[in-house]
Amino acid sequence: MNTKPKIKLDSNSIPPPKKRRGRKRTKKRYFTEDTDLAIAEFLASSNQDERDRIYNQRIHYAFYKLAENLIHTFKFYYTEVDTLEDLKHEVICFFLEKLDYFKPEKGTKAFSYFSIVGKNYLILYNNNNYKKKKQTTDVLAADEDDGVIHQLGRDQRKKEIKDFIDYFTAYIDKHMFTMFKKDKDRRVCDAINQLFVRRENLEIFNKKALYIYIREMTNVDTPVITKVTKILKKLYKNLHQEFIKTGYVRI
């Protein structure tokens, strides 16, 4: 990727050298309350020199460590660049592209937002490069690492789906009465929403059984359930697209 950050990086933004082995290390937070405050100040400023200063002194190191941790925690090692330091730079450039899309006034924490968009970026990047590897190397050799890709995908999707559905159910709670004017439609909507909220405790996975369950909860006919379900399905797709792009849903 040839995208370069617009921020002017100075020597102070270069990460410190690694400590020698054998020394006791203490876990230090790199994404702090000051990082959140710095990002808010960065977004509020229209002065490029001030933005450069805020970024280099108070944001860059947090972005660097987040990129590093995402790469190593989820083993994003299929890369087009020469070194992992180059890959970290690619991720940091991506974070810079997304900075102006982040809306701290929505209540979302910067760490959560940039973790989500960063993982999404690296999953796509990693999987694309894995496909290229399979096209240019021995298939059996490439498939030795296939389990890592699938496990990564499963764990990541579980976390993202949980986060998104939490947003989705909160959105329905707030907008249900504007989305549906009829009482029976609202009852169905609320019943479906409660199923989403209680999803981890449900033992019903058959579509027909779920319809019967909702009908018993709401005392409405199946066509009403079908109508409300279609509306919620469309809403789900739209909000999910927003979640993928921004890392949150505007509620």
Side-chain angles (χ1 to χ4, degrees), residues 76-84 86-88 90 125-126 129-130:
F76 291 113
Y77 297 144
Y78 292 102
T79 172
E80 290 181 326
V81 292
D82 295 331
T83 68
L84 289 181
D86 292 331
L87 179 57
K88 293 174 195 176
E90 297 280 355
Y125 180 93
N126 203 65
N129 285 314
Y130 175 72

Side-chain angles (χ1 to χ4, degrees), residues 13-29:
S13 67
I14 299 174
K18 294 181 178 179
K19 296 180 179 179
R20 291 180 298 174
R21 292 183 179 179
R23 296 182 63 182
K24 185 178 180 181
R25 298 183 181 183
T26 57
K27 189 174 182 180
K28 181 180 178 181
R29 289 177 61 205

Side-chain angles (χ1 to χ4, degrees), residues 66-79 84 87 91 118-119 122-130 133 144-153 155-156:
L66 178 58
E68 181 178 68
N69 287 346
L70 288 175
I71 291 168
H72 291 303
T73 299
F74 297 100
K75 305 186 186 304
F76 291 113
Y77 297 144
Y78 292 102
T79 172
L84 289 181
L87 179 57
V91 178
K119 281 185 284 188
L122 281 166
I123 285 173
L124 181 62
Y125 180 93
N126 203 65
N127 288 351
N128 285 340
N129 285 314
Y130 175 72
K133 178 182 177 182
E144 289 179 1
D145 295 325
D146 201 26
V148 174
I149 297 294
H150 287 299
Q151 185 60 43
L152 164 67
D155 293 343
Q156 173 62 16

